[in-house]
Each structure stands twice: as C-alpha cells, then as structure tokens.
Amino acid sequence: MASVLPCKDCISGTIHKGQPLGTDTEKLFGRSVYIAPVPEHAKGTIVYISDIFGWKLPNARLLADAYAKEGGFKVLVPDFFPFQPIPLSTIDAWAPVNETMAPSFLSGLSQKLTAYPSLIWFLFRTRPSVTVKLIAKFLEDLKASEPDTPIFTVGFCWGGRFSLTMGTDKVKKGTVNAVAAMHPSLMSIPSDIQNTIVPVSVGAGTNDDLTTVAFMKKLEELYREQGVELDIKIYEGMIHGFAVRGNTEKEDVAKAMEDAKNQVLEWFTKHL
C-alpha cells in the first residue's frame, strides 16, 4: 500500500512569523545542520527531518527552537537533500498567505505547472533507496559521538516517512530511542515500517487527503501486529501539513499545532 503522489497540501501552507534563534553549522557528519539553542542540561537529542521545503524553512526552525526550549532537548535540523529543496514560492502558488493577493487563474495555473516538474525531480532524487541510508548513517554517526545520549527522530510530511523508517532495523539497534511523525506522506506500507524496533508516535488530521484516517487505521493495525508501543492521534478538522505549516491565525489550527508539538515532546520525554 503506497501513497504515490503528493497532494496540494504537501506543497502549500503558511510561512510562520518569528526569528529562529539557533545557529547553522557547515558540516556535522557531512551535513549542514541548524542547531536550536541548546538547553544547559539537555536530556536528549532530537533529529528533525524536514518536509520538502527543507532545513531552512522558518517554520521548521521555529518548531525546533520550541522543542529545545519547552522540552529541554538538543534539536538538530540537518539538510538531508543533495540539492536545493522545493522553493518557498511554491507555497504561494497553491495557497497564498494573503488570499486577497492571490494570482489570477492563468497566472496561478502557470505557477503550479512550473512547480510540478521540480516536485517530481525532487521525489526521484530523494527516493528511499538513497535517503534511508543517508539519514541512518547520520544517526549512527551521531550516536557514536554521543553514546550515552538518548536520540529521537521526528519528521513531517516527506520527513515523516523517513522518521518512521528510522525506527526499524534499517538503523543499527540502539541508535534511536523512539520516533515520531506528523502526517507522514508518500509511504509504502508495510515495507516502510517492517521490523519496527522502537516506540512510535504518529499524528494526522481528519481532513488530510493524503495521510487519511483510513491510512492511519491501517498503519495502527500493522504496528499492533508487530507489538510496537504506539501512540496514534487524529486531529479533528486538520489538513495535511497542519503541524508545521498550519495557519497560526486560526484558533483551531493553532491549538492543534500546539497539541501536536506536545504529543512529540511528551512521547520523547516518556522514552528517555
């Protein structure tokens, strides 16, 4: 079972306001990495696997900062792409932040048609046969450098798929303590989650056209069959991408985003 193509919500959403407070490092185990402000006594390390907009998306960095400040974790947002991620202008093509400034139908159609080839190329370049090994190596190198530190992964949309895969035996046993994903996309199940060896937390919305409620139920069934410790949450009225690209000016979305953030932090704290 696989969700082969992305939906419009995979490449749309809201750019969040605020100034990330962390720093960039040129190379950490071969990857460029954003490091959120590190708490004085960090209790573990979270590796944040981004959506298709990449490690520089302000939303990702702001959320990483929140994980660090509110959860007491060291948080890394690595650049796992071998090229430039999907440009942020793609968001405006599908769902402008200011709807009164939406492009005309023809202009908008042109922008969308321009965006799709880059999306297909992106998906080919980041195919699982390449990406799983790349992320697993980063985690294993990180664990070797911090052998006594609990390590966790969290991913969103594109990154959600790979976060869940990092919880399987495709990563050296003992590397990761637990994994989490919000609205994981483009998954192939059962293969992506076969031989899961760590606790798993997953969230998605009832109005998600890609990570549907039916898909989440199937995911839960497959995890239960493996005896995996599991935390599944469905967020009423939320669409795909809400946990990282939701419109914070909408009260229900802002609350769901807060709840999703807490879901991840509580799960990782439980499995320190």
Side-chain angles (χ1 to χ4, degrees):
M1 179 178 178
S3 40
V4 179
L5 294 174
C7 64
K8 68 178 181 62
D9 296 319
C10 287
I11 49 176
S12 63
T14 302
I15 303 297
H16 297 162
K17 298 176 183 178
Q19 180 62 46
L21 301 177
T23 57
D24 289 357
T25 180
E26 283 297 316
K27 294 294 179 182
L28 182 64
F29 313 120
R31 317 306 305 175
S32 297
V33 178
Y34 172 78
I35 305 176
V38 182
E40 185 176 355
H41 300 290
K43 54 193 181 184
T45 298
I46 297 174
V47 176
Y48 182 123
I49 308 175
S50 73
D51 61 19
I52 61 174
F53 294 101
W55 73 302
K56 291 187 177 181
L57 179 71
N59 304 22
R61 296 182 170 209
L62 291 167
L63 185 51
D65 287 1
Y67 285 155
K69 182 178 180 180
E70 299 175 30
F73 291 93
K74 179 180 178 181
V75 187
L76 309 177
V77 188
D79 178 11
F80 285 129
F81 301 157
F83 52 89
Q84 290 295 315
I86 299 297
L88 295 183
S89 59
T90 303
I91 285 184
D92 286 331
W94 288 94
V97 174
N98 185 346
E99 296 179 0
T100 64
M101 298 178 64
S104 66
F105 172 78
L106 290 178
S107 176
L109 179 61
S110 175
Q111 290 178 37
K112 293 170 186 177
L113 291 175
T114 300
Y116 260 118
S118 63
L119 179 60
I120 298 302
W121 182 234
F122 169 89
L123 294 175
F124 172 74
R125 294 284 300 275
T126 60
R127 59 197 182 278
S129 61
V130 173
T131 304
V132 168
K133 293 177 183 178
L134 185 153
I135 300 176
K137 183 179 186 306
F138 181 91
L139 292 171
E140 289 166 1
D141 288 346
L142 176 63
K143 185 64 177 179
S145 73
E146 304 178 3
D148 298 323
T149 301
I151 294 175
F152 307 89
T153 68
V154 61
F156 298 81
C157 303
W158 175 89
R161 174 186 193 175
F162 294 107
S163 182
L164 296 182
T165 303
M166 292 304 105
T168 72
D169 63 0
K170 293 182 176 69
V171 182
K172 185 185 297 184
K173 186 176 182 180
T175 298
V176 177
N177 286 52
V179 299
M182 286 293 152
H183 32 76
S185 64
L186 308 175
M187 292 191 69
S188 178
I189 58 173
S191 60
D192 281 346
I193 61 168
Q194 282 179 335
N195 302 319
T196 293
I197 56 177
V198 302
V200 174
S201 181
V202 190
T206 57
N207 293 353
D208 193 320
D209 293 331
L210 189 60
T211 313
T212 62
V213 172
F215 179 85
M216 289 286 282
K217 288 181 178 178
K218 183 61 178 178
L219 201 63
E220 180 176 10
E221 176 186 325
L222 291 169
Y223 276 128
R224 299 291 185 200
E225 287 175 357
Q226 296 182 70
V228 173
E229 184 181 351
L230 185 64
D231 173 42
I232 290 270
K233 292 188 179 179
I234 304 296
Y235 292 83
E236 186 65 36
M238 294 300 106
I239 63 172
H240 193 76
F242 82 92
V244 70
R245 299 190 306 277
N247 186 344
T248 56
E249 294 184 2
K250 295 182 177 179
E251 185 176 349
D252 60 333
V253 177
K255 183 182 184 307
M257 291 178 66
E258 181 72 12
D259 291 345
K261 177 188 67 181
N262 290 335
Q263 177 183 343
V264 172
L265 290 178
E266 289 169 6
W267 190 245
F268 291 165
T269 299
K270 178 181 178 180
H271 293 96
L272 284 167

